[in-house]
Amino acid sequence: MRADFDMALRFFNTLSRSVQDFVPLDPGGKRVGMYCCGPTVYDFGHIGNFRTFVFADLVRRHLEFRGYQVTHVMNITDVEDKIIRRVRETGETLADYTGRYESAFLADCETLRLRAPHHRPRATDHIGPIIGLIRRLEANGFAYVVDGSVYFSIDRYRGAGRCYGQLLNLDLEQLRTGERVRNDEYAKEAVADFALWKARSPEDGDVFWPSPWGEGRPGWHIECSAMSMQLLGASFDLHLGGEDLVFPHHEDEIAQSEGAAPEGERRPFVKYWLHGAHLLVEGKKMSKSLGNFFTLRDLLERGFSGREIRYLLLSAHYRDSFNFTLDGLAGARTALGRIDECVARLRETAGNTSDEPATSLLDRFTEALDDDLNVSAAWGCVFDWVRDLNRRLDAGALSSAAAAAELAAWQRIDTVFDVANRSEAIAPPEILALVEERQAARKARDFPQADVLRKRLLDAGWLVEDTPKGPRVKRA
Ligand code: AMP
Ligand code: ZN
């Protein structure tokens, strides 16, 4: 890829409320740490949740496409109020209950072709580090204990000259009177304080762990601080989530993480905060009573594929609210059909030649995504390219080598978008070499050898078809 772009990769940073050049903390400029708040595994993921995870996948893939070495962490929230309620209702153990929805979530991620995070820490596997972090907050004077629960004191934090309200301008007075006081938190010093550790209550059943403050369980916010810092260090590059997490979840993460550092070692917890806008369905907030609540599985049952849903979720800019409709999904199918058809024609024309990627499409694509992930512009390039290629193919004006170069460019783009029809996937060079070997055997009328090679291809997952234009391979 050309490295001489005028403009750097840029993201909108919620912290600065502006689009900023992306410069990793790594002095070598190569390694990038990225944390995305993961699912609460109490039910099947809905299509809104997956909009956020597809957005995170796009960020990661584009960074990798640009040559960065990304460490991607996504937590699994497997202890939390809603989960505990369900465990009580079903009589299952916490691990059985959450294990089922965690597996379902991972299968859904595969359906949507999400690249697996390098680490998927579960909250319940990190109780030790969570307790350790709370102790550091206590030692720094920002935590207090009431009846076995531990709270974070925003007043003490601000009193020490720290800023609470970095991601959005908070009216703290408003916050105090505006926030609903929950029953189990009446003992807090101030309404805006939040629980770091929740003392065991009878409703918790078997869900509790020992701690210096007595039996109980961690609060939700602290788990993300503890696990992200354990895996990525006290200061890392990117933190992602849906816009609903800006406040209080991410603000609390900042306070906990920066508040735990020893005096004199304070650094910003995260350099770039990226938030995805919410998804609406048929113009409305998703709700079961409105009948517009879709899990991924609901959509698959309606006959849509993971790649169609992925394409639709990738078609809108992550900071724009997006209206998901079933008509939109039908449109995704048509759009993908146009790409599939063009790529199939390219493959036919390219035959088994392979080439360096054509640069014009790649350069425009890169420029578009570098601009805070401007997917509309990037898809615009792809569809202009399809139109132009179809014209040239119709006119018989595309050489095999040119077709191979365009195909290679598409293949590079698809490392980011990953929407290609996998049954029509482009074979890697070692497979193409076997196909050529088999073709040579056939020409030499060595049919037993040709059959051996066909079998080897099949074992590697590729099927050869002999067409009048020569052999074609596709996924078996
Ligand atoms: P949860 O499982 O509720 O903890 O949510 C997991 C992720 O999905 C979080 O990053 C949320 O911000 C995100 N999310 C929840 N609802 C929506 C929605 N309607 N649109 C986009 N993202 C959402
Ligand atoms: Zn989180």
Side-chain angles (χ1 to χ4, degrees):
M1 195 196 334
R2 293 223 323 254
D4 56 345
F5 288 102
D6 298 338
M7 301 285 267
L9 169 56
R10 298 165 326 275
F11 292 126
F12 182 89
N13 188 355
T14 310
L15 202 55
S16 65
R17 296 148 183 90
S18 64
V19 175
Q20 287 182 311
D21 286 359
F22 177 72
V23 182
L25 293 167
D26 172 23
K30 200 94 188 132
R31 283 178 296 116
V32 172
M34 162 173 153
Y35 185 91
C36 179
C37 292
T40 306
V41 283
Y42 76 102
D43 208 336
F44 294 112
H46 61 64
I47 191 67
N49 299 136
F50 286 111
R51 178 182 193 197
T52 294
F53 298 123
V54 166
F55 149 59
D57 186 63
L58 175 66
V59 173
R60 165 168 170 193
R61 284 172 179 263
H62 187 56
L63 286 166
E64 288 177 343
F65 173 80
R66 295 297 262 118
Y68 293 105
Q69 208 179 310
V70 182
T71 304
H72 175 192
V73 180
M74 183 187 67
N75 68 301
I76 304 275
T77 298
D78 62 349
V79 54
E80 178 266 356
D81 295 348
K82 287 191 290 284
I83 294 178
I84 291 177
R85 199 177 327 126
R86 295 279 180 97
V87 164
R88 201 168 58 234
E89 285 162 7
T90 59
E92 283 178 85
T93 64
L94 182 75
D96 285 349
Y97 184 81
T98 57
R100 191 166 63 246
Y101 290 109
E102 182 185 311
S103 305
F105 174 74
L106 297 183
D108 288 353
C109 288
E110 251 180 63
T111 302
L112 287 174
R113 305 184 177 185
L114 304 185
R115 263 186 200 160
H118 302 92
H119 303 277
R120 250 183 327 239
R122 293 189 193 98
T124 58
D125 292 333
H126 291 79
I127 302 294
I130 290 171
I131 289 174
L133 185 60
I134 301 173
R135 295 196 74 148
R136 274 153 54 205
L137 287 168
E138 251 188 329
N140 285 353
F142 301 137
Y144 59 93
V145 184
V146 182
D147 296 336
S149 289
V150 188
Y151 297 98
F152 186 93
S153 165
I154 292 170
D155 269 351
R156 294 187 206 177
Y157 187 69
R158 294 178 71 225
R162 312 293 189 94
C163 175
Y164 185 81
Q166 298 190 27
L167 291 172
L168 77 176
N169 297 314
L170 289 173
D171 177 346
L172 288 179
E173 290 312 312
Q174 184 63 32
L175 198 66
R176 267 160 224 236
T177 48
E179 194 182 282
R180 192 162 46 92
V181 183
R182 279 200 300 275
N183 276 345
D184 61 336
E185 294 181 2
Y186 64 90
K188 292 190 295 188
E189 283 176 4
V191 176
D193 290 354
F194 54 92
L196 299 166
W197 185 262
K198 297 183 172 183
R200 180 182 175 192
S201 75
E203 297 88 69
D204 293 348
D206 292 337
V207 183
F208 63 87
W209 289 264
S211 85
W213 315 284
E215 288 167 345
R217 59 189 166 97
W220 169 43
H221 311 306
I222 195 76
E223 74 173 70
C224 282
S225 286
M227 299 192 289
S228 62
M229 291 199 293
Q230 187 182 21
L231 291 159
L232 296 170
S235 200
F236 57 90
D237 299 287
L238 290 155
H239 197 313
L240 282 65
E243 62 187 356
D244 56 315
L245 300 188
V246 173
F247 183 81
H249 185 55
H250 288 163
E251 198 61 53
D252 290 349
E253 279 191 44
I254 295 177
Q256 296 164 143
S257 305
E258 298 184 5
E263 248 332 296
E265 281 182 34
R266 244 195 297 152
R267 277 177 300 165
F269 169 46
V270 167
K271 190 164 180 191
Y272 303 94
W273 287 88
L274 272 55
H275 291 101
H278 264 202
L279 174 130
L280 301 173
V281 174
E282 309 285 352
K284 300 203 174 62
K285 208 175 151 144
M286 236 185 302
S287 96
K288 295 217 162 121
S289 59
L290 287 176
N292 67 349
F293 186 97
F294 293 123
T295 64
L296 181 67
R297 282 141 199 258
D298 294 334
L299 297 171
L300 298 177
E301 265 170 33
R302 286 173 183 252
F304 293 105
S305 67
R307 80 173 180 124
E308 288 163 348
I309 299 164
R310 177 180 171 87
Y311 171 85
L312 188 59
L313 294 178
L314 278 176
S315 66
H317 190 262
Y318 74 95
R319 285 195 287 119
D320 290 337
S321 69
F322 178 60
N323 187 24
F324 184 93
T325 63
L326 293 173
D327 282 349
L329 261 182
R333 178 168 294 176
T334 311
L336 286 174
R338 282 173 59 207
I339 296 177
D340 291 350
E341 194 189 311
C342 178
V343 170
R345 291 181 77 189
L346 274 183
R347 194 169 309 122
E348 228 173 79
T349 307
N352 290 329
T353 30
S354 58
D355 211 333
E356 283 292 306
T359 49
S360 74
L361 171 65
L362 266 185
D363 286 356
R364 282 185 303 142
F365 169 84
T366 309
E367 224 169 297
L369 285 195
D370 276 3
D371 178 17
D372 191 30
L373 305 171
N374 186 345
V375 284
S376 315
W379 285 116
C381 297
V382 169
F383 286 105
D384 284 350
W385 173 83
V386 165
R387 207 168 306 120
D388 177 54
L389 281 178
N390 280 336
R391 232 186 341 252
R392 287 159 72 190
L393 285 159
D394 288 346
L398 202 70
S399 67
S400 306
E406 298 296 348
L407 205 52
W410 165 248
Q411 209 171 0
R412 290 280 296 131
I413 284 178
D414 206 48
T415 62
V416 181
F417 280 159
D418 201 355
V419 294
N421 184 352
R422 286 204 176 148
S423 60
E424 292 272 336
I426 300 158
E430 62 277 14
I431 296 297
L432 293 178
L434 280 179
V435 172
E436 267 170 39
E437 215 183 301
R438 175 176 169 276
Q439 192 57 5
R442 276 165 53 89
K443 277 207 179 119
R445 309 196 69 75
D446 184 354
F447 295 114
Q449 174 63 4
D451 282 347
V452 167
L453 291 164
R454 167 189 285 281
K455 172 84 174 45
R456 268 177 62 192
L457 282 161
L458 207 53
D459 288 345
W462 296 88
L463 193 68
V464 203
E465 272 174 8
D466 295 304
T467 75
K469 290 187 173 175
R472 268 173 72 173
V473 266
K474 58 183 194 183
R475 282 262 188 229

